[in-house]
Amino acid sequence: MNEPTNKNAFLHGLRQSLVVTLILLLLCGFVFPVLLSGISMVLFPSQANGSLIYINGQAVGSAYIGQDFTEPYFMKGRPSAYNYNTYYEDEQGNKYYNDGSRFAGLSSGSNNYAPSNPELAERVEADIQSFLEANPDVKRENIPADLMTASGSGLDPHITPASARIQIPALAASSGLRVEKLEQIVQDNTKGKFLGVFGEETVNVIGVNLDIAEAMGLLENKDK
């Protein structure tokens, strides 16, 4: 008598579990994302589409994804284990990062080295030497820490105002722009603390470099 009862109870519980799973899958995996995406597209179309930046109608990047800038008249961002996924192709179609290493595919994150890892010390020392060569008036001890440390995603386009200001003399020499103009560009691309309290002031490197390129006559006005 107990065996059929136990079997029916098991099947009943199994059906309930499957029904609940399917309902939650439908609600959480389809209805909610579609609804949220639809609302976002209506209220925040730019953000919902990736906060893309357009030049002459063509997307050249996102306001929230950094890029690997190599020209001396462009401001440098934080280190990235994946070179911000910026790469070039040779004549055979092979892809390489700007430092010459082979492109590993679209990725994010960091190397997650421990402080005792010698590769971390080597990477930081190489970045320090490279920065000092590009900014000869800067002393080693005055380099802001964020310019030598990667973000968790490895794609963060922001640096501190101190990291932006310390690059201005070298940028002025390379770009031919006045120091006052570059200071204004940095200020225009500086975002304050959230609600004036939370977080820190940040400078968007992509915004700075696009404004530098525009001021140098390298591109037409950014699309508004």
Side-chain angles (χ1 to χ4, degrees), residues 50-218:
S51 299
L52 298 179
I53 302 171
Y54 290 89
I55 302 294
N56 298 328
Q58 181 177 358
V60 296
S62 167
Y64 294 102
I65 301 294
Q67 295 187 28
D68 187 23
F69 295 96
T70 58
E71 296 295 343
Y73 46 78
F74 284 144
M75 183 169 286
K76 301 299 185 293
R78 301 175 67 179
S80 169
Y82 301 99
N83 295 73
Y84 293 100
N85 293 315
T86 304
Y87 64 89
Y88 67 90
E89 292 188 20
D90 62 14
E91 296 179 354
Q92 288 73 40
N94 299 312
K95 299 177 181 179
Y96 299 92
Y97 291 121
N98 287 329
D99 63 3
S101 58
R102 185 173 291 276
F103 177 59
L106 296 177
S107 303
S108 65
S110 66
N111 290 321
N112 201 28
Y113 290 139
S116 59
N117 192 315
E119 293 189 22
L120 174 62
E122 292 175 6
R123 196 276 296 165
V124 172
E125 183 61 31
D127 285 343
I128 289 176
Q129 293 305 320
S130 177
F131 186 83
L132 292 176
E133 290 176 6
N135 299 268
D137 296 332
V138 177
K139 295 182 178 180
R140 181 189 183 97
E141 60 269 22
N142 293 333
I143 301 176
D146 62 300
L147 283 177
M148 297 297 115
T149 55
S151 64
S153 68
L155 303 177
D156 189 355
H158 300 98
I159 58 176
T160 61
S163 294
R165 288 193 297 268
I166 203 169
Q167 299 184 61
I168 286 179
L171 292 175
S174 299
S175 67
L177 300 177
R178 294 180 294 106
V179 168
E180 295 78 11
K181 176 63 175 178
L182 290 167
E183 290 175 342
Q184 185 60 53
I185 288 176
V186 169
Q187 184 60 41
D188 291 343
N189 289 280
T190 298
K191 184 178 180 181
K193 298 180 180 181
F194 179 64
L195 298 178
V197 177
F198 302 104
E200 299 293 337
E201 287 189 337
T202 57
V203 178
N204 191 298
V205 175
I206 293 180
V208 168
N209 287 337
L210 286 175
D211 286 349
I212 288 176
E214 185 176 340
M216 293 178 63
L218 301 178

